[in-house]
Amino acid sequence: MAYDLLIKNGHIVDGSGMPTFRGDIAIRNGIIAEIGKLNVIATRTIDADGLAVAPGFIDTHCHYDAQVTWDPLCTFSCYHGATTVIIGNCSLALAPVRHGAGERLAEFLSYVETIPMEVLRTVNINWETISEYMAVLDKRLGVNVGNLIGHTAVRHYVMGNESQGRIATVAEIEAMRSIVRNGILAGALGLSVSRNKGHYDPQGVRIPALWADEKEIFALGDVLAELGTGVIQSGAGTEVELRNGMMTRLAEATGRQVVYNNLKQSVKNPDLWKTHMALVDETVKSGVRANPMCTPHSHITRFTMHNSQVFRAAPTWHPITVATDQEKLRAYQDPEVRKRLHKEVVEWTEEIPGAAIDRRWYEYIFVEKTVLPKNKCLQGKSIRQVAEARGQGIIDAFLDLVVEENLDTVFFLGASNTEKEIMTKILNYPNAYIGLSDGGAHVQFHGGYGYSSLLLGYWVRQQGIMSLEQAVRRLTFDSASVFGIYDRGLLRPGLAADIVVFDPDTIRSLPEEPVYDFPAGAWRMKELADGVHFTIVNGQVLLEDGRHTGALPGRIMRNSLYRERRGHT
């Protein structure tokens, strides 16, 4: 009997961490049928001689919740070998949603994840429940999509505008529990919450999830405990874990896997990663599953003052960041505005909850590219150095340059994951999971899609910090297991044929570039890969040498309870 697809002569890196071996893979009906030295007939044969053949990567932290409705490939994750993406992270989702409330729900996603509202307004929100949203997506997918139930969406559905302003009543919490229960029964992979104090809506009010107390969060998590399935994801879980062990307590109370953002080396607090690791070690020793995510990306944020996130938590700066360019320029020239900014972020007279900058921000923000030739001498200087060179205060020097160059000056902030020795320890730390591409978010700042190509190309091939087999396991089996996707992440007969074929000698992320391919004529950052030859989803070739074949073989990923109740279909 002929097979649908045969991959010949590949170096099989099967996702288990075991040694690579030469062999062939035969696929039928979207399932791996045989692995070994095969003498069989197939409708199509791919010669993978000299190439690595691995399970498709699981991109575990994405925000394609809106983008997937017009872009079934969830570009550009799949160009880097991702065959499954997880959306609905950090409490942000587009379901459930009441009739007429779609734009309001989209505002939370837009401002937190910096996706232009003119783009999100083009989405036809023709669903209400989580189940209906999943059904809409399942009709047209290129990659597989797993979704988490977003606490912000659930809270807004139940409490409306009051979801931003007070704790929930017992009745409201029970209504939220019912929504979570129905979502899990519909197959959602879990629940996402947030403790990120810097997550606001465009009006400067914290998103609904941040108004919840622990009682509410634990009550929602308890639904997963009752049903015996699902993962709990938390945005900004590190702060509360370090402060009072909330992530560990949540995992212990529910018995569910908790994953949270994130383990990193921070310029602001150089030794925090050591404290964090020690805490996680104790949690693991106690048999509790509360684990941070980490990323191979160095967090060097590039921005202009046309659209800057880094200052948005400051009370005076926040409304300016969402104003028009002309309003920004007027504000930045206003002496009274400058006085208030100096008081808030230079004198730092009061704490700024959720601030992306710290008290020495002007030492870590640098001028990368100027517009005017006379200012070229400032390139590479910190804001403090610019102020010293000009004989001005921090705010005056910074904003004079911004106004003088009509908001076009490019700055960069070196924030985290910049030290090789520390990154080697973090990326090899077995109690943290690699992910955090943030695909679909911050679309006009950075891509992030290429975290897997960065790990395999830079950290494995160039720096040699781990073996190829270990890196592939981190991107596949580990990630699939954490999120309950048990039929993927390994190359084994009987499992789904999600496969990436790549050249370990050339794989890398290509430079980012702007592309105008979003709805409403909006632009975003494009990040492609070199060395990824085939992305195969459910046995069908989705991408071949960076070109979409036209196939749409993706499916909604559903939890083990849903699959068991329906006979594993």
Side-chain angles (χ1 to χ4, degrees):
M1 182 183 295
Y3 292 95
D4 300 324
L5 182 63
L6 178 65
I7 303 172
K8 294 277 294 181
N9 306 316
H11 294 265
I12 298 177
V13 191
D14 68 5
S16 69
M18 294 173 66
T20 298
F21 61 94
R22 292 289 299 275
D24 313 324
I25 300 177
I27 298 165
R28 183 189 293 126
N29 297 328
I31 301 297
I32 297 172
E34 299 288 348
I35 299 177
K37 186 172 177 61
L38 306 176
N39 185 19
V40 299
I41 299 171
T43 303
R44 179 177 182 185
T45 298
I46 292 173
D47 187 356
D49 187 29
L51 302 177
V53 181
F57 305 141
I58 314 293
D59 196 344
T60 54
H61 189 105
C62 301
H63 293 281
Y64 291 118
D65 305 70
Q67 184 177 327
V68 66
T69 64
W70 73 79
D71 174 17
L73 274 65
C74 293
T75 55
F76 293 95
S77 289
C78 56
Y79 285 79
H80 296 269
T83 54
T84 299
V85 301
I86 310 297
I87 63 175
N89 286 281
C90 300
S91 88
L92 299 164
L94 291 183
V97 56
R98 293 195 183 277
H99 179 72
E103 181 163 332
R104 182 60 180 151
L105 199 58
E107 283 187 343
F108 303 138
L109 182 65
S110 171
Y111 195 68
V112 172
E113 303 302 339
T114 51
I115 307 167
M117 270 306 295
E118 62 265 27
V119 172
L120 298 185
R121 288 191 184 102
T122 69
V123 177
N124 178 24
I125 298 181
N126 57 351
W127 59 82
E128 179 177 356
T129 68
I130 295 163
S131 177
E132 289 169 349
Y133 174 68
M134 295 167 70
V136 168
L137 298 189
D138 213 12
K139 294 176 181 176
R140 185 172 176 267
L141 288 175
V143 293
N144 302 311
V145 175
N147 69 295
L148 302 173
I149 301 167
H151 186 190
T152 281
V154 172
R155 200 171 209 268
H156 188 263
Y157 184 91
V158 170
M159 299 176 65
N161 292 336
E162 292 189 21
S163 63
Q164 294 173 277
R166 63 174 175 83
I167 62 173
T169 65
V170 172
E172 288 166 338
I173 291 175
E174 193 53 47
M176 290 186 234
R177 282 171 48 85
S178 178
I179 292 171
V180 171
R181 183 177 296 106
N182 290 336
I184 295 295
L185 291 174
L189 296 183
L191 169 72
S192 75
V193 299
S194 179
R195 297 288 84 190
N196 194 326
K197 295 179 180 179
H199 282 180
Y200 295 86
D201 65 13
Q203 293 74 39
V205 182
R206 289 179 186 167
I207 60 173
L210 301 182
W211 294 89
D213 57 11
E214 278 197 15
K215 176 183 176 182
E216 179 179 323
I217 293 171
F218 277 64
L220 300 187
D222 185 59
V223 175
L224 278 63
E226 292 174 4
L227 296 175
T229 195
V231 64
I232 302 174
Q233 184 273 338
S234 177
T238 296
E239 180 183 346
V240 292
E241 178 69 355
L242 291 169
R243 185 168 68 242
N244 58 30
M246 181 182 174
M247 297 292 100
T248 295
R249 289 186 289 108
L250 182 59
E252 188 169 25
T254 62
R256 305 311 308 164
Q257 169 75 66
V258 171
V259 292
Y260 59 93
N261 305 354
N262 63 326
L263 174 64
K264 64 182 179 181
Q265 171 256 324
S266 173
V267 173
K268 298 179 184 178
N269 195 335
D271 292 324
L272 187 64
W273 66 277
K274 296 178 185 178
T275 304
H276 192 182
M277 268 193 190
L279 184 64
V280 176
D281 286 341
E282 291 302 312
T283 295
V284 171
K285 285 179 183 177
S286 70
V288 175
R289 296 177 296 169
N291 304 85
M293 301 286 287
C294 64
T295 175
H297 279 295
S298 295
H299 288 170
I300 299 175
T301 302
R302 289 174 175 81
F303 64 94
T304 70
M305 296 301 286
H306 286 287
N307 185 8
S308 171
Q309 293 180 283
V310 297
F311 300 110
R312 68 184 184 185
T316 297
W317 229 316
H318 180 87
I320 301 174
T321 63
V322 296
T324 66
D325 283 354
Q326 289 304 312
E327 289 169 337
K328 287 184 178 75
L329 288 168
R330 283 197 294 270
Y332 291 149
Q333 294 176 81
D334 187 331
E336 290 303 316
V337 169
R338 292 188 177 198
K339 286 180 183 178
R340 292 199 301 272
L341 290 175
H342 176 83
K343 183 177 180 181
E344 288 174 7
V345 299
V346 178
E347 294 181 355
W348 212 275
T349 53
E350 294 182 11
E351 287 302 313
I352 305 175
I357 56 172
D358 70 356
R359 292 172 182 268
R360 296 186 298 155
W361 60 272
Y362 36 80
E363 295 179 359
Y364 301 132
I365 294 180
F366 297 84
V367 179
E368 179 170 277
K369 185 178 180 181
T370 57
V371 176
L372 300 177
K374 71 170 187 172
N375 292 329
K376 190 173 182 180
C377 61
L378 300 178
Q379 292 179 178
K381 294 184 182 294
S382 68
I383 300 303
R384 172 187 280 281
Q385 291 170 326
V386 171
E388 290 172 350
R390 292 189 164 193
Q392 294 179 286
I394 297 294
I395 293 297
D396 284 336
F398 181 41
L399 295 185
D400 276 358
L401 177 60
V402 166
V403 171
E404 190 177 78
E405 299 206 333
N406 202 36
L407 309 175
D408 290 328
T409 315
V410 179
F411 300 93
F412 72 91
L413 169 65
S416 61
N417 292 351
T418 57
E419 300 293 332
K420 178 188 172 183
E421 289 187 10
I422 298 174
M423 285 299 293
T424 298
K425 294 176 181 178
I426 288 174
L427 293 174
N428 280 287
Y429 183 51
N431 298 327
Y433 300 111
I434 293 178
L436 294 176
S437 82
D438 235 15
H442 316 294
V443 293
Q444 295 179 346
F445 287 88
H446 56 81
Y449 321 98
Y451 76 101
S452 54
S453 298
L454 180 66
L455 180 68
L456 296 169
Y458 178 73
W459 291 109
V460 173
R461 182 177 68 248
Q462 295 182 33
Q463 300 299 324
I465 71 163
M466 69 176 74
S467 69
L468 178 64
E469 291 86 353
Q470 179 64 13
V472 167
R473 176 180 170 127
R474 300 283 272 155
L475 297 169
T476 57
F477 177 72
D478 288 359
S479 297
S481 299
V482 167
F483 282 84
I485 309 171
Y486 300 120
D487 61 342
R488 287 151 219 269
L490 285 172
L491 297 182
R492 294 282 190 275
L495 298 187
D498 286 356
I499 298 171
V500 56
V501 180
F502 66 93
D503 187 344
D505 293 331
T506 63
I507 189 170
R508 67 187 179 103
S509 290
L510 295 175
E512 293 182 345
E513 59 178 306
V515 57
Y516 290 82
D517 67 348
F518 259 23
W523 65 277
R524 61 170 172 157
M525 298 304 295
K526 175 181 180 179
E527 183 185 15
L528 299 180
D530 193 14
V532 178
H533 292 276
F534 295 92
T535 302
I536 299 166
V537 178
N538 294 313
Q540 297 185 47
V541 177
L542 179 72
L543 294 174
E544 180 172 351
D545 290 326
R547 296 185 300 274
H548 180 212
T549 64
L552 293 175
R555 295 163 46 190
I556 284 287
M557 295 289 94
R558 300 182 192 264
N559 63 52
S560 56
L561 175 64
Y562 179 96
R563 290 165 57 81
E564 190 276 330
R565 289 186 169 192
R566 286 155 181 79
H568 302 278
T569 57

